[in-house]
Amino acid sequence: MAYQPPQARQQQQQQQQADPNANRLHLNFGFNNQPNFAAEQGRAFPTTPSTFPQPFPDARGQQDVWGTGQGTSGINSQGYFYNNPSFQQYQNSPSPGGSAAGYRSPGGFNEVTNGLAHQFQHQNLGGGNTPRSASPYQRQASPGNARPRTGGQTGQPQQYGSYLSAPMTSQPQQPSIYDDEPPTKNAERYSTTITERVKLQKMLTQEFFKENVERARARNERAKELEGIISSRELSDARKEQKKNNMRKSEANFLRFLRTSERPQNYNTLKIIGKGAFGEVRLVQRKHDGKIYALKSLIKAEMHKKDQLAHVRAERDILANADSQWLVKLHTSFQDSTFLYMLMEFLPGGDLMTMLIKYEIFSEDITRFYMAEITLAIEAVHKLGFIHRDIKPDNILLDRGGHIKLTDFGLSTGFSKEHSASYYQQLMSQTRPKSMAQNRQSVSIDQIQLTVSNRNQINTWRKSRRQLAYSTVGTPDYIAPEIFSGKGYDFGCDWWSLGTIMFECLIGWPPFCAEEPHDTYRKIIDWPRHLHFPPDQQLGDDAEHFIRSLICDSQNRVGRVHGATELKAHPFFRGVNWDSLRKIRAPFEPKLQSNVDTQYFPIDEIPQIDNSAALRAQTEASGNDDSTLSLPFIGYTYKRFDAFRGS
Ligand SMILES: Nc1ncnc2c1ncn2[C@@H]1O[C@H](COP(=O)(O)OP(=O)(O)OP(=O)(O)O)[C@@H](O)[C@H]1O
């Protein structure tokens, strides 16, 4: 049990008794005179899987730390702060920053962050992430650490402030998990496990803070937006009030959603609809409201082994931040000990690879439609500051109207350090043997046999194509040569991929396909010798010219100066109405029997066996669900606001 001066404890108990509401859940959705944060604090800290070391070991630990002295309140699966009296008081007290930071107070962001910083320090002091008996911090906890508990019980905001600003000099300084570095003083006294857990806890805490600030900022932006809409339109007072009410409801729904813990068990699997190198994609139905989604799961241990940490982070970041009609919408991402999950909108039309396997070639008109849409989708990715790097037919999905959306941003690169593979390698090298780090592109590439020496053999290639999509090797067919050469690449590499897809749509196979992926790499590097247009398949001049403008040296490639604008101006696209492309009828419209129709997915070719429970048990048995495995996935968990607007 954590050290607590008996006096402080007694004081807390008395206060607890004096305040009968102290243990009641109090929610505030940011639309009254409370800090916006108040409701959010009902959320678990941090939003991590159960295998992450938690700031408090169990329900009792939580109560001890907060000194509620009550039997059953305190931590629960939904949030640490639900029943916390000092927290309650904070919520009920005037904000230290003054007025509220809800949408009525667009300028409230600082108030919110102040409130958070304040709360943040309060909630963490005194909490360890290891069982108390094992932690030197708890064993040696100083009265200095006990101070916030006492202050917390008074419910006076000023006292929080004073404890934060008061120097803690009167007591011997103990190593703090909130110091910048793990304890170095007498470092030999701490086991590696403790040092690692300290590091993990520190990162969790930072992430929690960052996430809350971002969320508060987003909320204020939404509030401003609403203010703008209301003031720019001639609306009756009743209508204005209705809009505000709708917004309040959405924010309330979102806050409620933030407090629920997302788990795969919340969803029923209807079918496994896709497979990738590191996991699978399922069609799922949410149990509580029957809504349909695509749930992608990725095996954490595999992501570790194959150096995919930066990639998975990039994918999560892009989809989370994007709000584009050209990109698959990510509703939420979460994790457990074994998997990372991405809950996405379900696109029932299948993917372009499946269509190409079925139809083999498209007419020029149909090809033009898909090329135009893919151009706009790539432009959307570039505008977000990312290079996709892995544009291929498998990653081009069709919605219910037959229009495309891009997915699988696993290889995309942005400009943040979280997306650099070396950043994660460095992180991991401190905790795992270096030899585990491998590069996706360097994985052995002889698993799949491709045969294209004649037309019959093209069919063999087509059949193995899907298997190649499922393997960790991936298909190199659409990757630009500058990516392999290691001499640097830019946004143009996505335009190369567009050229190879266009070639496949019109000719029936990608330009550099070969018996072995190995040879495909070689052909791509030496592309001028291997780019052939079969004489028996006549293409229009504009089509061939466009392909040649895309499959060429990066210095000469169309789009190198003005991006997509240059492509749009190419004669091949003459007549395309770029602004209304998504509104016209697509050449191929899925005919769906229901909202869970999976006829456009290769269900028969994907074993419909649920291995996830077995895999989870395996992870637990192997002891791999430790903090080192969790470390790089901090910040993966995410929830999108709009998905719950009005739900
Ligand atoms: N949101 C979605 N809606 C419908 N189907 C989807 C969705 N996301 C993925 N799929 C299906 O699952 C397949 C695999 O998805 P995805 O490429 O994202 O997986 P991956 O594991 O990242 O694959 P890779 O090995 O290419 O990285 C897709 O080709 C598509 O058929």
Side-chain angles (χ1 to χ4, degrees):
M1 186 184 285
Y3 169 81
Q4 194 177 21
Q7 227 181 345
R9 196 181 184 100
Q10 207 182 355
Q11 222 180 340
Q12 283 168 351
Q13 280 169 355
Q14 279 165 2
Q15 184 154 2
Q16 184 71 33
Q17 282 153 10
D19 181 3
N21 289 327
N23 278 347
R24 285 220 191 110
L25 171 62
H26 174 89
L27 299 180
N28 161 7
F29 297 127
F31 293 98
N32 55 23
N33 281 340
Q34 303 289 334
N36 240 357
F37 269 115
E40 211 156 84
Q41 305 293 0
R43 202 166 56 82
F45 162 77
T47 49
T48 53
S50 54
T51 49
F52 276 21
Q54 301 293 329
F56 306 102
D58 55 29
R60 260 201 77 65
Q62 165 79 354
Q63 286 160 31
D64 286 341
V65 168
W66 293 97
T68 63
Q70 297 281 308
T72 52
S73 61
I75 191 169
N76 61 26
S77 61
Q78 291 187 308
Y80 291 126
F81 303 110
Y82 271 30
N83 299 322
N84 187 285
S86 49
F87 194 75
Q88 187 81 19
Q89 283 151 0
Y90 176 70
Q91 285 186 315
N92 290 332
S93 321
S95 151
S99 70
Y103 79 91
R104 287 184 184 156
S105 169
F109 174 62
N110 287 339
E111 295 157 20
V112 170
T113 51
N114 287 343
L116 176 64
H118 184 82
Q119 187 65 46
F120 166 78
Q121 296 194 40
H122 180 197
Q123 73 203 18
N124 286 297
L125 286 164
N129 58 352
T130 50
R132 269 147 220 291
S133 56
S135 161
Y137 311 127
Q138 274 88 42
R139 252 187 277 129
Q140 298 167 18
S142 68
N145 276 355
R147 282 158 69 199
R149 288 195 293 267
T150 319
Q153 294 309 305
T154 66
Q156 299 306 313
Q158 301 89 313
Q159 286 187 306
Y160 289 100
S162 63
Y163 97 67
L164 288 175
S165 54
M168 296 169 71
T169 48
S170 56
Q171 302 300 329
Q173 196 72 48
Q174 297 300 323
S176 159
I177 60 170
Y178 307 101
D179 285 343
D180 274 338
E181 296 302 326
T184 46
K185 232 195 235 176
N186 299 325
E188 67 287 356
R189 282 173 53 199
Y190 307 108
S191 69
T192 331
T193 317
I194 288 179
T195 327
E196 271 170 16
R197 283 176 178 240
V198 167
K199 192 162 64 176
L200 176 61
Q201 182 62 36
K202 187 185 146 206
M203 289 178 76
L204 286 172
T205 310
Q206 284 171 345
E207 186 60 33
F208 179 70
F209 183 79
K210 195 174 116 204
E211 218 182 72
N212 276 278
V213 170
E214 277 166 11
R215 205 166 279 133
R217 180 181 289 136
R219 186 160 43 237
N220 280 346
E221 269 166 22
R222 288 193 292 272
K224 265 194 211 163
E225 207 181 300
L226 181 67
E227 289 287 351
I229 292 170
I230 287 176
S231 55
S232 69
R233 291 193 205 154
E234 300 248 316
L235 296 173
S236 66
D237 285 351
R239 187 86 184 90
K240 281 182 187 168
E241 199 45 42
Q242 191 192 359
K243 279 198 168 294
K244 285 180 185 175
N245 276 335
N246 289 346
M247 186 64 150
R248 276 181 205 124
K249 205 172 141 209
S250 302
E251 294 284 1
N253 281 336
F254 185 51
L255 286 165
R256 199 170 299 123
F257 170 58
L258 288 176
R259 287 187 303 274
T260 57
S261 58
E262 278 293 313
R263 316 178 290 148
Q265 290 84 345
N266 296 350
Y267 300 88
N268 282 325
T269 298
L270 305 179
K271 293 268 171 56
I272 302 178
I273 52 173
K275 262 178 109 48
F278 303 98
E280 56 198 16
V281 181
R282 293 150 185 266
L283 175 66
V284 296
Q285 182 163 35
R286 194 156 59 193
K287 286 179 185 169
H288 86 263
D289 59 8
K291 286 192 176 168
I292 299 296
Y293 298 98
L295 182 66
K296 177 165 165 174
S297 54
L298 300 159
I299 304 170
K300 279 181 171 181
E302 286 298 307
M303 307 304 288
H304 266 298
K305 269 192 236 155
K306 305 272 165 58
D307 183 25
Q308 294 296 299
L309 305 175
H311 297 156
V312 73
R313 184 56 196 246
E315 175 160 35
R316 202 293 256 146
D317 282 1
I318 294 171
L319 291 179
N321 293 320
D323 196 7
S324 165
Q325 57 183 347
W326 298 107
L327 309 186
V328 171
K329 185 162 274 185
L330 175 72
H331 294 300
T332 158
S333 55
F334 51 98
Q335 50 186 309
D336 61 21
S337 56
T338 315
F339 297 99
L340 301 172
Y341 299 94
M342 298 173 82
L343 188 75
M344 299 177 282
E345 63 176 318
F346 169 55
L347 298 190
D351 57 54
L352 197 63
M353 172 176 74
T354 307
M355 267 183 74
L356 282 166
I357 290 173
K358 189 168 166 191
Y359 297 107
E360 298 190 4
I361 54 169
F362 297 153
S363 70
E364 258 189 53
D365 274 347
I366 293 178
T367 303
R368 190 176 354 268
F369 170 82
Y370 288 117
M371 290 308 111
E373 290 215 336
I374 301 168
T375 300
L376 291 181
I378 294 175
E379 184 183 34
V381 176
H382 291 182
K383 279 185 178 163
L384 288 169
F386 287 96
I387 304 170
H388 191 293
R389 287 207 305 172
D390 200 20
I391 302 280
K392 56 186 178 188
D394 340 11
N395 295 337
I396 298 165
L397 306 183
L398 302 180
D399 70 9
R400 58 180 53 250
H403 292 274
I404 73 114
K405 289 199 183 203
L406 285 182
T407 188
D408 196 0
F409 293 81
L411 280 184
S412 307
T413 46
F415 302 108
S416 113
K417 71 173 179 175
E418 281 85 7
H419 302 147
S420 109
S422 59
Y423 167 75
Y424 286 96
Q425 258 167 29
Q426 214 182 352
L427 198 64
M428 291 310 297
S429 64
Q430 294 157 18
T431 50
R432 291 185 104 77
K434 266 203 168 120
S435 60
M436 292 189 80
Q438 282 179 34
N439 188 294
R440 184 177 193 174
Q441 310 305 349
S442 69
V443 180
S444 132
I445 51 165
D446 57 1
Q447 288 175 15
I448 309 291
Q449 297 290 311
L450 295 183
T451 312
V452 286
S453 41
N454 63 43
R455 285 293 161 88
N456 287 339
Q457 287 171 324
I458 291 280
N459 289 330
T460 315
W461 169 79
R462 247 178 223 125
K463 280 187 197 129
S464 54
R465 197 174 189 292
R466 205 183 290 286
Q467 292 312 314
L468 193 57
Y470 298 162
S471 77
T472 49
V473 182
T475 166
D477 277 293
Y478 310 92
I479 297 177
E482 61 266 27
I483 292 182
F484 299 138
S485 70
K487 289 189 196 130
Y489 58 87
D490 60 15
F491 293 98
C493 67
D494 288 340
W495 301 130
W496 167 285
S497 306
L498 181 75
T500 58
I501 296 172
M502 179 164 165
F503 185 106
E504 182 173 349
C505 289
L506 294 170
I507 306 288
W509 59 86
F512 308 109
C513 83
E515 204 160 314
E516 290 190 24
H518 206 91
D519 294 325
T520 303
Y521 284 96
R522 255 204 307 272
K523 282 185 176 182
I524 293 172
I525 298 282
D526 194 14
W527 66 266
R529 272 192 346 113
H530 296 282
L531 179 63
H532 296 301
F533 288 80
D536 57 339
Q537 275 170 281
Q538 281 294 316
L539 302 190
D541 290 346
D542 290 341
E544 184 172 333
H545 183 269
F546 188 47
I547 293 176
R548 288 189 185 279
S549 319
L550 296 165
I551 304 179
C552 62
D553 272 336
S554 56
Q555 302 94 300
N556 304 323
R557 204 170 295 154
V558 61
R560 75 196 165 283
V561 183
H562 299 296
T565 313
E566 283 176 39
L567 279 83
K568 290 179 197 171
H570 192 278
F572 175 69
F573 284 135
R574 197 174 295 121
V576 171
N577 188 342
W578 295 96
D579 294 331
S580 61
L581 202 52
R582 227 187 151 87
K583 293 187 198 107
I584 65 170
R585 284 191 72 174
F588 158 78
E589 282 177 327
K591 291 188 178 46
L592 301 166
Q593 309 297 324
S594 71
N595 66 343
V596 292
D597 190 340
T598 53
Q599 61 172 298
Y600 298 102
F601 294 86
I603 302 296
D604 301 342
E605 296 173 40
I606 304 172
Q608 298 290 312
I609 303 162
D610 188 356
N611 290 323
S612 51
L615 259 170
R616 245 178 255 127
Q618 218 176 320
T619 313
E620 276 152 31
S622 68
N624 265 348
D625 58 338
D626 60 3
S627 58
T628 55
L629 198 58
S630 304
L631 195 58
F633 297 114
I634 290 171
Y636 183 80
T637 302
Y638 155 83
K639 295 180 179 186
R640 182 190 282 269
F641 171 77
D642 355 337
F644 296 85
R645 197 188 281 262
S647 69

